[in-house]
Amino acid sequence: MEINNEIFAKIETQTEHIFKSAGWNAELVINYERIDKAVDRALLEHVMRDTSTFVFKGFGAALSGLSAAFFGSAIHSDVNYRA
Amino acid sequence: MVEALRKLATRDVSGLEELSDEKVVELCKQELPDDLTAYRELLRRYEGLIVNTCNKILNSPSDAEEVGQDVMIQIFHKINQFEGRSLFKTWLYKIVHNYCNNRLSKIIRKREGSEKYEDLEAQRELSRENEHVSQELSADVQESIAELKEKEREVLTLKFMSGLTIQEIADVLELGLSATKMRLYRAMESFKEVYIQKKNVDTSFYE
């Protein structure tokens, strides 16, 4: 069903007038405290994500390094490098 | 510590105010997370609209504050996903729309009659605090809006508060142009009906 453009434009104008009178599109006062809070939270989440990534990726690397060191020393325990 | 990081990562913002949204977004993509200046400029432009839009859609100032914060943080994390195929404003309002929808699902499950009344009273209080608003008229408009369905509230808010065009609203809601126009028309009709009843206004205004 198509809406008659004239009827649509009329009700749009009338509705806009009501909302404008009620100040719905008035210029808003900037809330810098809210902005600071959002920025702080965003930074914190970013740091947490980076830390989690490091821990999980680093954990695997650390584990394989430890395993290599353990098995390596077991295999070569009979070697004597004293000089 | 986070506050210290925030201060270190923000330079003087003068000059950014004159740039278009798209140019500021490009700066964000290049500079985040080390430099927050461009990101703060985006928030400066849109934080009021974001929270007010959420407030009108959710009809709950406390939920609007939380959802508004979540939306602003999403800009930080997802700015690289904005490809410039639409206006930044349209992309932003899509995020607002999605987050408000998620919150609405929770609110609908929890809301009881007394909560709705308290929220309306809180909204009246919020209206009174804004020096630029015609207090009584705003409260009456807000009460009328509160009685509409969520989808009607949303489309009226996007049109008459956020100032989006019908095409932009269609992009945000992922609807066709005709469907969006029809939704807006029905929302205006519903609002008119409720507003007239509430105010016992002279209906000749609408003739």
Side-chain angles (χ1 to χ4, degrees):
Chain A
M1 187 187 113
E2 280 291 321
I3 307 161
N4 180 294
N5 283 336
E6 208 181 304
I7 294 173
F8 183 89
K10 194 174 174 184
I11 194 172
E12 187 185 7
T13 307
Q14 290 160 348
T15 311
E16 189 165 19
H17 175 77
I18 292 175
F19 284 125
K20 221 178 238 182
S21 306
W24 264 46
N25 55 359
E27 202 168 306
L28 300 164
V29 176
I30 300 169
N31 186 328
Y32 286 103
E33 205 179 296
R34 196 186 270 151
I35 291 174
D36 284 345
K37 202 171 154 190
V39 169
D40 287 348
R41 248 188 78 190
L43 267 179
L44 191 62
E45 284 184 15
H46 178 74
V47 166
M48 294 293 287
R49 283 184 195 191
D50 268 359
T51 306
S52 307
T53 307
F54 174 76
V55 164
F56 284 111
K57 281 192 175 165
F59 182 73
L63 195 60
S64 65
L66 278 171
S67 307
F70 174 78
F71 289 113
S73 68
I75 289 166
H76 297 286
S77 60
D78 57 340
V79 174
N80 190 336
Y81 288 103
R82 284 183 194 167
Chain B
M1 188 192 99
V2 173
E3 194 181 323
L5 275 175
R6 188 222 318 143
K7 284 179 181 164
L8 273 174
T10 311
R11 61 176 192 276
D12 179 21
V13 298
S14 58
L16 283 186
E17 291 166 7
E18 283 139 28
L19 295 179
S20 66
D21 284 351
E22 282 65 33
K23 287 206 159 68
V24 178
V25 166
E26 277 311 305
L27 284 173
C28 278
K29 286 183 184 181
Q30 288 162 25
E31 295 171 1
L32 283 178
D34 302 315
D35 193 323
L36 302 169
T37 313
Y39 172 60
R40 283 186 65 92
E41 173 58 20
L42 277 182
L43 294 192
R44 189 193 67 79
R45 294 179 187 192
Y46 286 105
E47 66 78 29
L49 271 177
I50 290 170
V51 175
N52 265 280
T53 303
C54 291
N55 198 16
K56 298 291 188 275
I57 294 172
L58 300 173
N59 200 33
S60 162
S62 53
D63 285 303
E65 280 293 335
E66 287 177 19
V67 172
Q69 281 283 311
D70 290 343
V71 168
M72 287 188 262
I73 289 161
Q74 272 297 92
I75 297 173
F76 181 96
H77 292 305
K78 304 285 186 191
I79 194 75
N80 284 311
Q81 292 181 10
F82 175 64
E83 294 170 356
R85 284 186 272 118
S86 65
L87 290 176
F88 171 73
K89 197 164 72 163
T90 310
W91 181 79
L92 173 62
Y93 277 110
K94 263 192 198 165
I95 300 175
V96 170
H97 165 74
N98 289 337
Y99 271 79
C100 284
N101 269 353
N102 291 340
R103 184 55 68 105
L104 273 172
S105 304
K106 287 184 189 167
I107 290 174
I108 286 166
R109 282 196 296 271
K110 285 200 301 186
R111 181 179 279 173
E112 294 170 11
S114 59
E115 273 183 68
K116 188 175 177 182
Y117 176 79
E118 280 162 12
D119 280 345
L120 277 176
E121 283 302 303
Q123 182 57 32
R124 278 181 172 265
E125 193 59 46
L126 189 67
S127 295
R128 280 186 216 114
E129 284 167 7
N130 190 336
E131 288 174 6
H132 299 289
V133 170
S134 164
Q135 294 171 4
E136 195 179 312
L137 186 54
S138 178
D140 288 331
V141 166
Q142 185 58 32
E143 276 179 33
S144 304
I145 289 279
E147 294 193 23
L148 303 180
K149 295 177 196 166
E150 282 84 13
K151 285 183 179 172
E152 289 173 341
R153 260 206 313 269
E154 182 178 31
V155 75
L156 287 176
T157 302
L158 290 175
K159 174 80 176 98
F160 296 110
M161 200 191 80
S162 309
L164 299 183
T165 62
I166 295 179
Q167 182 60 62
E168 286 167 351
I169 296 171
D171 291 341
V172 169
L173 301 180
E174 292 177 350
L175 294 173
L177 194 58
S178 298
T180 304
K181 200 171 172 184
M182 179 61 76
R183 187 179 285 192
L184 178 56
Y185 178 75
R186 285 187 180 144
M188 289 191 290
E189 283 285 332
S190 300
F191 170 77
K192 166 183 149 183
E193 207 177 298
V194 173
Y195 186 72
I196 287 172
Q197 275 178 7
K198 209 165 261 305
K199 290 281 288 174
N200 290 320
V201 295
D202 179 6
T203 56
S204 66
F205 175 75
Y206 267 107
E207 295 302 317

